[in-house]
Amino acid sequence: PGRAELHVHRGHARLAEGKLDDALADFDLAAGLDSTLIAAVVGRGVVLRLRGNLEEAEKELTRALAMDPTRPETHLERARVYLDWKLLADAERDARESLRMRSTSEGFHLLGVVLLEKGDAQRAIRTFEAALIASPAPLLRKRIEEDLAKARREKEKQK
């Protein structure tokens, strides 16, 4: 890999360590070295969302989608921004688009969270069940099971 890609890899590693400022600096360096490197733009969007700068995060992720609209993970990241912003229709649209491109437990989980936020416990339950079928990693499986239980409680309250 070139220098730009190395900065993206280091940015992801720093992001995993919770070092948001360092991760952003690496993604900035990567984008400065190669302005067409979508992973750097997406990385910037993720860090900006985690820092609470939703408007800038949405701009970066929308820019990444303009560069390549076929990346399901970019749709998923923008769906997270919209969910944080409580723009639930937009979050649902992007989560569904991500799932249309590639079915993942992470995508089903996010869609289930959106549906539950919208008050649709029954569809959220079915979506969380689909997320569990997609064989997620143990930590994600635990989060899905917790959200599934929450959706079932919400459904009982709605009766």
Side-chain angles (χ1 to χ4, degrees):
R3 282 189 59 215
E5 290 86 0
L6 291 174
H7 282 290
V8 167
H9 291 300
R10 193 166 73 177
H12 285 295
R14 289 177 166 179
L15 185 59
E17 295 169 355
K19 297 177 179 177
L20 299 183
D21 292 337
D22 293 338
L24 186 59
D26 273 314
F27 293 131
D28 285 343
L29 278 169
L33 291 168
D34 182 353
S35 64
T36 66
L37 190 57
I38 295 170
V41 179
V42 173
R44 279 185 47 74
V46 170
V47 171
L48 291 167
R49 179 184 69 84
L50 293 172
R51 291 171 87 185
N53 191 339
L54 300 180
E55 187 174 336
E56 289 301 313
E58 191 266 345
K59 284 180 187 175
E60 287 295 296
L61 294 166
T62 299
R63 184 164 72 94
L65 285 169
M67 295 166 75
D68 181 0
T70 66
R71 294 171 49 103
E73 60 277 4
T74 309
H75 286 279
L76 199 61
E77 291 302 337
R78 192 171 68 172
R80 286 188 177 100
V81 170
Y82 289 140
L83 177 60
D84 289 353
W85 230 340
K86 301 299 183 202
L87 298 173
L88 300 179
D90 294 326
E92 181 178 356
R93 181 197 66 233
D94 270 0
R96 287 188 184 282
E97 183 62 15
S98 174
L99 285 167
R100 185 189 67 74
M101 294 177 189
R102 185 183 325 140
S103 292
T104 64
S105 55
E106 194 174 13
F108 281 115
H109 178 244
L110 184 64
L111 179 58
V113 170
V114 170
L115 293 171
L116 190 56
E117 283 283 320
K118 290 177 84 174
D120 193 342
Q122 182 61 42
R123 283 177 50 214
I125 289 169
R126 287 195 309 268
T127 306
F128 289 138
E129 289 170 345
L132 289 172
I133 291 169
S135 299
L139 186 58
L140 180 57
R141 175 173 284 281
K142 182 175 173 23
R143 286 193 355 239
I144 294 168
E145 289 169 346
E146 290 168 355
D147 286 334
L148 177 58
K150 180 179 175 183
R152 287 180 173 147
R153 287 190 303 272
E154 191 61 35
K155 181 182 173 195
E156 286 302 312
K157 281 195 252 179
Q158 292 174 357
K159 284 186 179 181

